Amino acid sequence: MNTFIYKNTTIHYKDSGKGNALIFLHGFLEDHTMWKNLATSFETKYRIISVDLLGHGQSGCLGYIHTMEDHADMLFSLLTELRLRKVSLIGHSMGGYIALAFAELYPDYVRNLVLINSSARADSEERKNNRDRAIEVVKRNSDAFIKMAISNLFLSEFQETLKKEIEESIATGLRTPVQGIIASLEGMKIREDREVLLHFGPYPKLMINGIHDTVIAIDDIKDQTVGTEVETLFLNGGHMSVLEHPNEVQNTLSVFLKKK
């Protein structure tokens, strides 16, 4: 793992391969290791940078709230340190929200934008209330929250075949500090609506979603992408497409990334 310092906070990331840079941004309660198989498949042709986001993995926390803009600014500092000018952003769930924030703040640095099990819309009022309730649960019993939250991300038919992957995901989640969990929930709750980027962002865009995702409603994704040039892939799965359908995700990404 490599490190750099951002606002007196140590950020960890993995850097491998050579070529055009692919930046992998994990989701809530995850870390850079969720990309390990996908990253390995691309590192013979691309430079792969997978980051432990603020308050996740081995990266430290900045404060009580980690906004999507906080993450985006941290990412920009990392790219500046690595002297990278154009990158492909690949974000899962919260990582997608961060990719969108980066694309809004630093559009000239974006070569491609890929959102996996993510959305360009802000939280609904109901969703904001659910995050507030989640914060209260985390304060009382973070381990119980993590185990339940992660298990529910996988479609029931994968619960047995992906038992090892689910256990690894839960173990990663349990290593996330309570401050990091709360800071992310607070940040996701107040994130901006960035649906306009799907219409006018001057770079190729791809969205991959599970039709049975309990976090991101598939009808909402279809509505967001009407009238856009966003490519879409809808898979028979839940919120963890990278683990539930690794071959389909890899093949679709491989074709998409060659277009520009």
Side-chain angles (χ1 to χ4, degrees):
M1 290 290 285
N2 304 82
T3 63
F4 87 109
I5 303 299
Y6 176 71
K7 293 186 176 181
N8 299 317
T9 299
T10 302
I11 305 298
H12 290 249
Y13 64 97
K14 185 175 181 182
D15 187 352
S16 62
K18 293 182 179 180
N20 289 336
L22 309 184
I23 311 298
F24 285 92
L25 305 171
H26 64 75
F28 178 56
L29 299 177
E30 300 167 352
D31 66 11
H32 78 281
T33 61
M34 74 151 292
W35 302 109
K36 58 185 178 182
N37 293 332
L38 190 60
T40 298
S41 69
F42 282 103
E43 65 184 6
T44 57
K45 295 182 179 180
Y46 298 94
R47 184 176 180 180
I48 306 300
I49 298 169
S50 40
V51 186
D52 278 352
L53 297 168
L54 296 171
H56 285 72
Q58 298 181 58
S59 294
C61 296
L62 282 183
Y64 182 75
I65 299 178
H66 292 153
T67 67
M68 302 305 99
E69 293 82 4
D70 288 334
H71 287 282
D73 289 339
M74 177 275 288
L75 181 59
F76 178 72
S77 292
L78 174 58
L79 299 189
T80 300
E81 175 150 316
L82 298 178
R83 298 182 180 180
L84 292 173
R85 186 65 180 80
K86 281 278 190 180
V87 300
S88 295
L89 299 169
I90 302 167
H92 175 248
S93 195
M94 183 182 76
Y97 307 153
I98 294 165
L100 286 161
F102 183 94
E104 181 176 83
L105 293 169
Y106 308 103
D108 292 341
Y109 284 76
V110 181
R111 176 176 281 112
N112 298 290
L113 178 65
V114 181
L115 308 178
I116 304 177
N117 302 110
S118 195
S119 170
R121 289 181 175 170
D123 272 359
S124 65
E125 288 305 313
E126 179 183 4
R127 186 70 174 155
K128 289 178 181 178
N129 291 334
N130 287 340
R131 293 202 195 278
D132 284 334
R133 285 192 284 269
I135 289 169
E136 293 307 313
V137 173
V138 169
K139 289 177 178 178
R140 293 195 302 269
N141 191 335
S142 61
D143 285 5
F145 169 80
I146 290 165
K147 292 174 182 177
M148 180 183 67
I150 293 176
S151 294
N152 289 339
L153 299 180
F154 292 83
L155 193 63
S156 58
E157 66 185 66
F158 292 106
Q159 292 287 333
E160 189 58 37
T161 57
L162 294 179
K163 187 175 181 180
K164 178 184 176 182
E165 288 80 359
I166 294 172
E167 290 175 350
E168 289 177 348
S169 296
I170 290 174
T172 298
L174 290 172
R175 291 193 292 270
T176 310
V178 170
Q179 182 184 357
I181 298 173
I182 294 174
S184 292
L185 287 167
E186 293 282 6
M188 288 188 288
K189 183 179 70 175
I190 63 172
R191 75 181 187 278
E192 300 285 338
D193 189 302
R194 294 189 165 93
E195 190 174 348
V196 66
L197 296 181
L198 301 183
H199 292 265
F200 302 110
Y203 32 75
K205 296 168 283 288
L206 169 67
M207 296 183 77
I208 298 175
N209 291 85
I211 61 176
H212 303 295
D213 193 329
T214 57
V215 178
I216 307 294
I218 197 67
D219 289 341
D220 198 36
I221 298 302
K222 291 178 178 179
D223 187 46
Q224 290 177 49
T225 53
V226 169
T228 74
E229 295 182 354
V230 177
E231 295 185 36
T232 57
L233 174 65
F234 300 129
L235 297 166
N236 183 30
H239 191 67
M240 302 297 287
S241 295
V242 173
L243 298 179
E244 293 176 333
H245 294 282
N247 294 332
E248 291 89 337
V249 171
Q250 178 185 332
N251 293 338
T252 300
L253 265 179
S254 181
V255 173
F256 173 77
L257 292 170
K258 292 175 182 176
K259 294 184 178 181
K260 188 175 180 180

